[in-house]
Amino acid sequence: NAGVTQTPKFRILKIGQSMTLQCTQDMNHNYMYWYRQDPGMGLKLIYYSVGAGITDKGEVPNGYNVSRSTTEDFPLRLELAAPSQTSVYFCASSYEALPHFGNGTRLTVT
Amino acid sequence: GESVGLHLPTLSVQEGDNSIINCAYSNSASDYFIWYKQESGKGPQFIIDIRSNMDKRQGQRVTVLLNKTVKHLSLQIAATQPGDSAVYFCAENRIAGGTSYGKLTFGQGTILTVHP
């Protein structure tokens, strides 16, 4: 049982490039989330999903897109990378109220 | 927007001491609170949670206390060990009705350092 798996672990992007952060969970959780963590700060919610085909914005959605075509996968898309998106990105999933987190993707935009 | 914050950004203790990490929250509608531990290079790891209909909850070596009157919660770690060194976050949510599952508001975090 792997839990929540995120790939890649590290990535460096140039300004204006695009990329997709992958997230998959094997716990059959309906709820999935993307958070970002800036240095010395707590996590902030980017997007979330309550089930396949359903997504909604969180606190900081600008510059990101998501999709949820299956229960297991919840990819996060950055279309035009900006330095302000330099952060650590965490995916999480839950059955109900308690999210379980992956180990993150550290993204640097230069 | 409402937020959850921490009183102390760093805490240093000796191995074997008890540790207390504090957290203040401002959303009086919050009814669910979680403490997470985050080690370097890893995601937040669940420690313990508490719902607003409780004042205290105990786990293995950890206790969470909730004071709704002053909107404060604390995490107590008994007999702190070097392996407890990490950043500790409190997070809050309002889960009544089930529509906000997982939409947590995190505090800034407290760095706990345990000296052997």
Side-chain angles (χ1 to χ4, degrees):
Chain A
N1 189 335
V4 178
T5 302
Q6 295 183 237
T7 57
K9 287 183 169 45
F10 304 94
R11 184 72 186 268
I12 298 174
L13 283 181
K14 295 189 183 301
I15 295 171
Q17 287 185 320
S18 62
M19 78 163 293
T20 299
L21 283 68
Q22 302 292 344
C23 175
T24 188
Q25 52 95 6
D26 62 0
M27 297 175 281
N28 201 33
H29 287 163
N30 282 332
Y31 298 87
M32 295 189 75
Y33 321 86
W34 275 104
Y35 285 84
R36 61 176 285 173
Q37 184 178 31
D38 297 329
M41 302 295 290
L43 284 69
K44 293 187 177 181
L45 183 64
I46 305 171
Y47 269 97
Y48 67 100
S49 170
V50 301
I54 306 170
T55 63
D56 207 347
K57 297 177 181 179
E59 181 183 358
V60 290
N62 291 343
Y64 307 96
N65 282 299
V66 294
S67 59
R68 184 97 182 269
S69 58
T70 66
T71 298
E72 295 78 19
D73 300 307
F74 190 40
L76 178 70
R77 179 82 177 165
L78 284 71
E79 291 293 350
L80 291 171
S84 61
Q85 294 178 306
T86 294
S87 191
V88 182
Y89 292 84
F90 290 100
C91 180
S93 71
S94 72
Y95 171 63
E96 288 185 338
L98 176 59
H100 299 270
F101 287 86
N103 283 327
T105 294
R106 183 175 296 274
L107 176 66
T108 302
V109 182
T110 62
Chain B
E2 307 225 17
S3 63
V4 177
L6 293 172
H7 294 304
L8 300 174
T10 62
L11 178 64
S12 292
V13 300
Q14 291 296 126
E15 181 177 2
D17 287 351
N18 296 332
S19 302
I20 300 176
I21 301 172
N22 296 300
C23 179
Y25 66 95
S26 56
N27 186 353
S28 57
S30 295
D31 55 13
Y32 181 56
F33 304 89
I34 308 170
W35 281 100
Y36 284 98
K37 172 186 181 183
Q38 187 177 29
E39 297 174 290
S40 180
K42 294 187 177 181
Q45 178 185 3
F46 169 77
I47 301 172
I48 193 168
D49 59 358
I50 189 168
R51 301 199 179 218
S52 59
N53 60 352
M54 302 173 70
D55 296 324
K56 178 180 180 179
R57 191 168 188 209
Q58 289 184 290
Q60 186 178 8
R61 284 201 304 118
V62 295
T63 301
V64 56
L65 299 177
L66 176 62
N67 185 332
K68 295 179 286 293
T69 301
V70 295
K71 298 178 190 171
H72 181 271
L73 69 159
S74 65
L75 176 70
Q76 301 178 2
I77 305 174
T80 315
Q81 302 167 0
D84 294 326
S85 294
V87 180
Y88 289 80
F89 292 95
C90 62
E92 57 96 6
N93 197 4
R94 182 172 185 269
I95 63 171
T99 60
S100 297
Y101 284 161
K103 294 169 64 178
L104 301 175
T105 298
F106 279 81
Q108 186 177 8
T110 291
I111 301 172
L112 175 64
T113 303
V114 183
H115 301 283

